[in-house]
Amino acid sequence: MATTDPDFPTPEYLARLERTRAEMEKRGLDLLVCVDPSNMHWLTGYDGWSFYVHQAVILGMEGEPVWWGRAMDALGAMRTVFMSDEAIAGYDDSYVQNPEKHPMSILGQLIEGRFPNARRIGVELDNYYYSAAAHAALQEALPNCRFFDQVGLVNWQRTCKSPEEMVYIRRAARIVEAMHQRIVEVAEPGMPKNVLVAEIFKQGIAGADGEWGDYPAIMPMAPSGMDATAPHLTWDGTPLTSGVPTFFEIAGVHRRYHAPQARTLFLGEVPDKYLAAEEAVLEATEVALRMARPGNRAEDVANAFNMTLNARGFMKEGRVGYAVGLSYPPDWGERTISFRPGDQAILQPGMVFHFMPALWLDDGGIEITEPILITEDGVECLCSTPAKLFVK
Amino acid sequence: MATTDPDFPTPEYLARLERTRAEMEKRGLDLLVCVDPSNMHWLTGYDGWSFYVHQAVILGMEGEPVWWGRAMDALGAMRTVFMSDEAIAGYDDSYVQNPEKHPMSILGQLIEGRFPNARRIGVELDNYYYSAAAHAALQEALPNCRFFDQVGLVNWQRTCKSPEEMVYIRRAARIVEAMHQRIVEVAEPGMPKNVLVAEIFKQGIAGADGEWGDYPAIMPMAPSGMDATAPHLTWDGTPLTSGVPTFFEIAGVHRRYHAPQARTLFLGEVPDKYLAAEEAVLEATEVALRMARPGNRAEDVANAFNMTLNARGFMKEGRVGYAVGLSYPPDWGERTISFRPGDQAILQPGMVFHFMPALWLDDGGIEITEPILITEDGVECLCSTPAKLFVK
């Protein structure tokens, strides 16, 4: 039972379990083994940087979910989960990163003992924290069970945020606004990139409006010039120079809830190509966000964006956005809905996305992106950061 | 071919490939598929926060290794790897997080095309970035190949650091010293924990001695009081109070190379129990580090530590240290050698460890830990941070 300040009241967790079990029943599952740290947190409140060893939340069709992990992390579970201490099970440290024996064999025994009638088990087959070896060891330990890939089952229950979750996401939005403001305040030619990133990080963790900042599930991406033709480079000690764009793809985070937002900074005069790109992106964004409303499909947003952008002579590769919320490294996306052609998911009130109309050009990148909430009758941009190139 | 400032000269990468291929030959492998971002970086120089999608380095017995990943990240590969652009292959964005089709099927085609004679393929079966679904998709795409678990093959080649790698680790050591110094400078009762962590982070990324700081593979762990009975809680906005310990397990990082080090801070008077624990840990550390020398086994270090500690009336659960170096989230450990009973690895000059004699007591924790280098005839502590409880 949580002895630290819990993130949510117990009834919210119980409602989440009920929603998840309804879906499990629909799919004919007896048991779900969740290893995604975000799903573990969402179901139980568990928090801790312990996902580098094998751990899971086990959810049967009744009773408390079971937190299972390394024995030393069971103490962290006792301090963060809503369940009783009986629902927490730790395994011996000799199973940690030991090629001779796999902790999933222990989990098999636990499942046999606590859920003797479970036969149809859902697992998150394509999750970072469910390795091929983990799956093999669990299958071997439970030879009478059948396993089913349910990688998105819990993630999909998370798409519509509760009012309590929106409180945290709105705090995260305040934080990312403050981070972007800090960039504009301190950036100048000659400043080493890492010194600027240090300022961004300080602001992000110091927080905003008196609310504390948590660590982001993706580190700041802050490439300049040619490095910004590649989307996922982080930073080094190279000084900022005039005449090239630097984009900052960062997130404010509060209690693991993310508000990601990117802006692009130009020191000095902006080349015409980037002014044209800015105009095209902003126009296409406006058109696309009109399509981001309940009842429309995810692909409608992408198609509206791409059509407008292409008419302006620009092309975008990749998704124009994705669902976000509670998250742990290495990804702040929820890995459910993407704004891309073919994604037929129907938008609903309470869904939160990172609308992500980044362009990577031949000599740099431009990112002006927004965390957005689908409302009862449209869309809300969660940040008030000015939607434009930052020029200084 | 790297267009950014490469981390190492090409001959260093070629030597790494040679060492790795010698081990592959010994094990009868034709091909190695590396998905561990640290192994990918060590073999090719590739850097980027792109490991949240499927990617790999493919190493055959001759020719260049192949970088394979998402098409948009191929641009980041072109800027960071030592190989020619022909050795870089990107896959279409529609394969990203799409339950309908798995990128590993594309990798199967690539292997068939570029390595038509490969039959015995090594994979990192228990790596975070090699999911059960990835393994299944790759096996299905290559029905004529046999797969072998080689999860530690490259990691073991990384245990002894080159002189060039030690340059980076020593810079990281300077950075973590500065971070601990900053903690002592600014911490005071009433300061919200996140505000202190913001200062630590700023220092860590600003760096030290003019060398830039990179992001750590594990976020700062900074629990106080009862939260510090659990090893892996991060932080929140609770103010620091007098009379309880707070430990800071953090790392200085330069170009992905880590120097992790923990210290424990007491504001106010230190209870006798913690003074006794400090004395026991420091004495046991001294005894243990005398065993950390070439020719001894990893378990010798752990046994020496535990015997001395137990004689003082304290017990430690878990490992007393582990190999470190180049790393990406979620773990800064190399996942090879651990200081624990039963680990028979023989210590060699050039190995770097996080010596980690943390104690978690019934009402808090104490961590006084060191990054260490095995030298030609003994051990070197890489940091000069005073080895004691910090009291303020």
Side-chain angles (χ1 to χ4, degrees), chain B residues 141-220:
Chain B
L142 294 170
N144 299 322
C145 293
R146 288 182 61 194
F147 292 80
F148 300 87
D149 182 12
Q150 303 294 336
V151 67
L153 192 155
V154 177
N155 304 58
W156 277 94
Q157 310 315 311
R158 289 163 43 200
T159 53
C160 291
K161 272 62 183 176
S162 71
E164 291 75 14
E165 288 180 294
M166 282 312 302
V167 169
Y168 294 165
I169 292 178
R170 286 180 192 283
R171 289 180 187 168
R174 297 293 81 70
I175 294 172
V176 78
E177 286 169 359
M179 293 163 79
H180 281 298
Q181 198 178 327
R182 188 76 188 138
I183 293 169
V184 177
E185 273 168 25
V186 301
E188 57 180 24
M191 177 183 250
K193 178 77 63 65
N194 66 302
V195 173
L196 177 55
V197 173
E199 291 288 344
I200 296 170
F201 240 116
K202 182 181 173 183
Q203 184 71 61
I205 294 170
D209 290 354
E211 303 292 349
W212 62 278
D214 207 343
Y215 61 86
I218 300 182
M219 289 297 110

Side-chain angles (χ1 to χ4, degrees), chain A residues 73 79 126 128 131 227 232, chain B residues 73 79 126 128 131 227 232:
Chain A
D73 293 318
R79 301 191 65 72
D126 205 13
Y128 313 107
S131 69
D227 280 348
H232 296 129
Chain B
D73 294 318
R79 302 192 64 71
D126 205 13
Y128 313 107
S131 69
D227 279 349
H232 296 129

Side-chain angles (χ1 to χ4, degrees), chain B residues 90-143:
Chain B
Y91 63 80
D92 187 87
D93 213 61
S94 67
Y95 282 83
V96 171
Q97 300 175 355
N98 185 343
E100 307 295 317
K101 48 187 189 178
H102 202 286
M104 281 289 169
S105 63
I106 302 282
L107 179 59
Q109 294 165 20
L110 180 149
I111 290 174
E112 273 200 330
R114 296 206 186 200
F115 304 93
N117 300 319
R119 286 294 169 272
R120 297 171 60 86
I121 300 183
V123 291
E124 297 172 308
L125 211 64
D126 205 13
N127 192 271
Y128 313 107
Y129 301 103
Y130 196 70
S131 69
H135 188 48
L138 190 59
Q139 282 183 307
E140 198 187 317
L142 294 170

Side-chain angles (χ1 to χ4, degrees), chain A residues 1-2 4-8 13 16 34-57 65-83 87-89 214-215 255-257 326-328, chain B residues 221 230-234:
Chain A
M1 207 173 123
T4 59
D5 175 27
D7 288 333
F8 297 98
Y13 291 112
R16 294 172 180 182
C34 287
V35 297
D36 182 325
S38 310
N39 291 339
M40 290 176 67
H41 185 142
W42 189 78
L43 290 169
T44 69
Y46 179 66
D47 186 33
W49 190 287
S50 57
F51 38 88
Y52 66 94
V53 296
H54 291 288
Q55 57 179 21
V57 163
V66 175
W67 182 96
W68 167 84
R70 189 181 186 181
M72 65 168 71
D73 293 318
L75 296 161
M78 287 176 191
R79 301 191 65 72
T80 55
V81 306
F82 80 91
M83 302 90 76
I88 296 170
D214 206 343
Y215 61 86
R255 290 178 177 252
R256 311 296 331 122
Y257 282 84
L326 169 65
S327 204
Y328 286 88
Chain B
M221 289 178 289
H232 296 129
L233 302 184
T234 46

Side-chain angles (χ1 to χ4, degrees), chain A residues 158-200:
Chain A
R158 290 162 43 201
T159 52
C160 290
K161 272 61 182 176
S162 71
E164 291 75 14
E165 289 180 294
M166 282 312 303
V167 169
Y168 294 165
I169 291 177
R170 286 181 191 283
R171 289 178 186 170
R174 296 295 79 71
I175 294 172
V176 79
E177 285 169 0
M179 293 163 80
H180 282 296
Q181 198 178 327
R182 188 75 187 140
I183 293 169
V184 177
E185 273 167 27
V186 301
E188 55 181 24
M191 177 183 251
K193 179 76 62 66
N194 68 301
V195 172
L196 177 55
V197 173
E199 291 287 343
I200 296 171

Side-chain angles (χ1 to χ4, degrees), chain B residues 47-385:
Chain B
D47 186 34
W49 191 287
S50 56
F51 39 87
Y52 66 94
V53 297
H54 290 287
Q55 57 180 21
V57 164
I58 323 303
L59 183 64
M61 290 309 287
E62 50 195 31
E64 293 189 308
V66 176
W67 182 96
W68 168 83
R70 189 181 186 181
M72 64 169 70
D73 294 318
L75 297 161
M78 286 176 192
R79 302 192 64 71
T80 55
V81 305
F82 80 92
M83 302 91 75
S84 69
D85 288 357
E86 286 69 49
I88 296 169
Y91 63 80
D92 187 87
D93 213 61
S94 67
Y95 282 83
V96 171
Q97 300 175 355
N98 185 343
E100 307 295 317
K101 48 187 189 178
H102 202 286
M104 281 289 169
S105 63
I106 302 282
L107 179 59
Q109 294 165 20
L110 180 149
I111 290 174
E112 273 200 330
R114 296 206 186 200
F115 304 93
N117 300 319
R119 286 294 169 272
R120 297 171 60 86
I121 300 183
V123 291
E124 297 172 308
L125 211 64
D126 205 13
N127 192 271
Y128 313 107
Y129 301 103
Y130 196 70
S131 69
H135 188 48
L138 190 59
Q139 282 183 307
E140 198 187 317
L142 294 170
N144 299 322
C145 293
R146 288 182 61 194
F147 292 80
F148 300 87
D149 182 12
Q150 303 294 336
V151 67
L153 192 155
V154 177
N155 304 58
W156 277 94
Q157 310 315 311
R158 289 163 43 200
T159 53
C160 291
K161 272 62 183 176
S162 71
E164 291 75 14
E165 288 180 294
M166 282 312 302
V167 169
Y168 294 165
I169 292 178
R170 286 180 192 283
R171 289 180 187 168
R174 297 293 81 70
I175 294 172
V176 78
E177 286 169 359
M179 293 163 79
H180 281 298
Q181 198 178 327
R182 188 76 188 138
I183 293 169
V184 177
E185 273 168 25
V186 301
E188 57 180 24
M191 177 183 250
K193 178 77 63 65
N194 66 302
V195 173
L196 177 55
V197 173
E199 291 288 344
I200 296 170
F201 240 116
K202 182 181 173 183
Q203 184 71 61
I205 294 170
D209 290 354
E211 303 292 349
W212 62 278
D214 207 343
Y215 61 86
I218 300 182
M219 289 297 110
M221 289 178 289
S224 299
M226 282 302 291
D227 279 349
T229 61
H232 296 129
L233 302 184
T234 46
W235 67 83
D236 60 19
T238 310
L240 295 171
T241 55
S242 293
V244 295
T246 302
F247 70 73
F248 298 89
E249 188 175 343
I250 56 183
V253 192
H254 182 70
R255 290 179 178 250
R256 310 296 332 121
Y257 282 83
H258 287 63
Q261 184 176 49
R263 285 294 181 268
T264 304
L265 173 72
F266 249 97
L267 298 173
E269 204 179 338
V270 185
D272 287 345
K273 179 166 64 176
Y274 281 88
L275 292 175
E278 175 192 25
E279 206 177 302
V281 165
L282 293 179
E283 189 188 324
T285 295
E286 202 187 316
V287 173
L289 290 187
R290 280 203 291 270
M291 301 302 287
R293 52 189 311 126
N296 278 357
R297 293 180 189 275
E299 67 172 359
D300 297 336
V301 179
N303 291 337
F305 180 85
N306 287 324
M307 214 185 315
T308 315
L309 190 79
N310 297 349
R312 288 289 201 142
F314 289 92
M315 285 275 292
K316 170 165 172 56
E317 280 185 59
R319 303 181 290 178
V320 189
Y322 46 81
V324 294
L326 168 66
S327 205
Y328 286 87
D331 189 9
W332 60 40
E334 281 187 338
R335 296 183 295 285
T336 49
I337 306 171
S338 292
F339 293 145
R340 65 179 160 196
D343 194 317
Q344 302 288 321
I346 291 174
L347 303 183
Q348 295 173 50
M351 289 180 171
V352 175
F353 296 93
H354 183 203
F355 179 74
M356 217 294 182
L359 290 192
W360 297 290
L361 308 176
D362 58 346
D363 62 352
I366 175 168
E367 297 197 356
I368 302 174
T369 82
E370 304 295 346
I372 60 170
L373 166 70
I374 306 298
T375 61
E376 290 300 323
D377 56 0
V379 69
E380 180 190 340
C381 281
L382 293 168
C383 286
S384 63
T385 313

Side-chain angles (χ1 to χ4, degrees), chain A residues 68-143:
Chain A
W68 167 84
R70 189 181 186 181
M72 65 168 71
D73 293 318
L75 296 161
M78 287 176 191
R79 301 191 65 72
T80 55
V81 306
F82 80 91
M83 302 90 76
S84 68
D85 288 356
E86 287 70 49
I88 296 170
Y91 62 80
D92 187 87
D93 213 61
S94 68
Y95 282 83
V96 172
Q97 298 175 356
N98 185 342
E100 307 294 317
K101 48 188 190 177
H102 202 286
M104 281 289 169
S105 64
I106 303 281
L107 179 60
Q109 293 166 22
L110 181 148
I111 290 173
E112 272 201 328
R114 295 206 187 202
F115 304 94
N117 299 319
R119 286 292 170 273
R120 297 172 59 86
I121 300 183
V123 291
E124 296 171 309
L125 211 62
D126 205 13
N127 192 271
Y128 313 107
Y129 301 102
Y130 196 69
S131 69
H135 187 49
L138 190 60
Q139 282 183 308
E140 197 187 317
L142 295 169

